[in-house]
Amino acid sequence: MAVQINPSILSADFSRLAEEAKAVEGADWLHVDVMDNHFVPNLTLGVPVVDALSRATDTPLDCHLMIEDPDRWAPAYVEAGAGSVTFHVEAAAAPVRLAREIRAKGARASMALKPATPIEPYEDLLPELDMLLIMTVEPGFGGQAFLDIMLPKIRRTRELIDRHGLELWLQVDGGVSESTIERCAEAGADVFVAGSAVYGAEDPAAAVAALRDRARAACAH
């Protein structure tokens, strides 16, 4: 299981996004939180900023759309340069069609589940996806405490992925830090979004490396 660390620019300095992206160039992806103040009670950034970021960094962009009507808006993020686009199943009208459209435009298709949304009803959708995101906090704000009650859900999701023999990445987002990443990895996650644990550190690049080392060690057990 290959461990990937995706720093979240939600915790970066928005006045220096190009420099903040360069500060974590050892990361696997740059996680971009798109919020519309409707699906979640916060407003962040949209297509123009993603387009600018994609030209400012060589790190591929992992766009997490916490927005209403992703069926309409998600394809524009692929066109803006995102290498992976995540939509919330709670907001998507036609998740299979949307996943296929994202893939057809050349990006990885990912589906996110809020903490209260179970994975089991979506088992048949898994082959349509490249990644599944289990939220380990309620989406909308950075800096929240990790929800330990999500660990069994991560385990169940990993079991479903393995049962179907899928090459599906399992991402966790919310409260991921050096003190929580090992539990997530042991439960079966392999892609880790970290915001304040990276951008709140004195050396963001070193924080990425430390997180990767802890997750790898946990996966090796």
Side-chain angles (χ1 to χ4, degrees), residues 81-97:
S84 176
V85 176
T86 301
F87 59 88
H88 267 268
V89 71
E90 303 89 356
V96 171
R97 185 176 66 199

Side-chain angles (χ1 to χ4, degrees), residues 46-149:
V47 169
V49 175
V50 171
D51 180 51
L53 258 178
S54 72
R55 288 181 275 112
T57 180
D58 293 330
T59 308
L61 302 184
D62 164 34
C63 283
H64 177 194
L65 307 184
M66 288 167 269
I67 62 173
E68 289 183 352
D69 202 7
D71 305 74
R72 176 183 177 189
W73 297 110
Y77 286 89
V78 184
E79 292 161 10
S84 176
V85 176
T86 301
F87 59 88
H88 267 268
V89 71
E90 303 89 356
V96 171
R97 185 176 66 199
L98 179 54
R100 289 179 177 178
E101 186 174 1
I102 291 169
R103 281 176 155 181
K105 285 185 172 289
R108 295 178 63 87
S110 171
M111 188 172 80
L113 278 67
K114 292 166 77 171
T117 304
I119 179 60
E120 287 77 9
Y122 304 105
E123 181 176 354
D124 292 344
L125 274 64
L126 296 182
E128 302 287 341
L129 303 168
D130 298 295
M131 182 169 74
L132 195 77
L133 166 54
I134 303 293
M135 291 297 299
T136 44
V137 298
E138 286 294 338
F141 293 93
Q144 297 183 64
F146 179 79
L147 294 173
D148 275 298
I149 56 169

